[in-house]
Amino acid sequence: PTTCTAVVRAMPIRRPNGMRMDVDLLNCDSCATESLTHGGIRAYFKKYMKGILPGDVVLFKVRFFHPREYKNPGDFSYGSYLHSRDIVATAYVYGKPILTGDVRGYAIRKFFASFRNKIVDSASSVLKGDDLAVALALSIGDRSRIGNLLRQKFASIGIAHLLAISGLHVGL
């Protein structure tokens, strides 16, 4: 693994098996990563770590990968999708990232991320399970807690579109 320092671009996304976070590399201890400093990295973590905000500088050990591409003509291209978001590689993080500081210029992103975290904390203290998942999806556009079964239930009764347009576009 390579040790890297990076700036967090946006709020980390909670996943069933950890979290995903888009970052911009500041530096790495490997000369093989020079080409990765001209775009972002989509980093995957084994565990969710609360409190990381846009603009935070994190230190972590990582292994880089090129996005998987499927060879079927006309199929979705994950690499093209990432490229459209200025992501040049994916990476798997080993261990826990260390917060080492923050970067100026992210004040508005930090404010809204902190506000969003307060909504999640407040809702989590009152609601649990599917109730919490639906409340967060509808209020702030956080669909990360909606499981396949609940998604299928919404689709079967014809209201799955509510999950797609939820959060008053706060999720954008």
Side-chain angles (χ1 to χ4, degrees):
T2 302
T3 301
C4 295
T5 305
V7 178
V8 178
R9 280 188 178 184
M11 282 296 295
I13 306 296
R14 183 186 302 257
R15 303 179 68 211
N17 57 347
M19 73 175 174
R20 179 192 65 161
M21 185 167 53
D22 291 346
V23 299
D24 290 312
L25 291 181
L26 296 174
N27 59 50
C28 290
D29 65 5
S30 168
C31 60
T33 59
E34 286 180 24
S35 64
L36 301 176
T37 59
H38 302 293
I41 304 297
R42 177 152 291 173
Y44 294 94
F45 298 76
K46 290 185 179 184
K47 292 186 178 180
Y48 180 75
M49 193 172 143
K50 191 173 179 179
I52 296 179
L53 298 173
D56 285 345
V57 177
V58 292
L59 174 74
F60 48 75
K61 289 187 185 285
V62 66
R63 176 157 287 150
F64 295 102
F65 296 92
H66 291 289
R68 283 183 63 174
E69 289 294 343
Y70 298 99
K71 304 292 184 208
N72 297 331
D75 274 358
F76 173 74
S77 169
Y78 187 55
S80 296
Y81 166 76
L82 290 177
H83 183 71
S84 73
R85 294 185 171 357
D86 195 30
I87 303 288
V88 297
T90 59
Y92 291 96
V93 177
Y94 295 89
K96 186 176 179 181
I98 300 168
L99 289 174
T100 62
D102 62 356
V103 174
R104 299 184 92 172
Y106 283 81
I108 291 184
R109 287 186 192 182
K110 276 188 179 288
F111 170 77
F112 283 110
S114 295
F115 183 67
R116 192 170 197 225
N117 285 343
K118 288 178 185 175
I119 292 172
V120 171
D121 291 344
S122 295
S124 298
S125 68
V126 178
L127 302 170
K128 300 291 181 227
D130 286 348
D131 293 337
L132 175 63
V134 171
L136 292 177
L138 295 176
S139 63
I140 62 171
D142 180 358
R143 296 182 298 274
S144 65
R145 300 166 200 256
I146 301 236
N148 287 336
L149 182 61
L150 184 58
R151 196 177 306 270
Q152 288 172 354
K153 287 180 183 178
F154 269 72
S156 70
I157 59 175
I159 59 171
H161 62 282
L162 292 178
L163 298 176
I165 59 172
S166 64
L168 304 173
H169 303 290
V170 173
L172 299 177

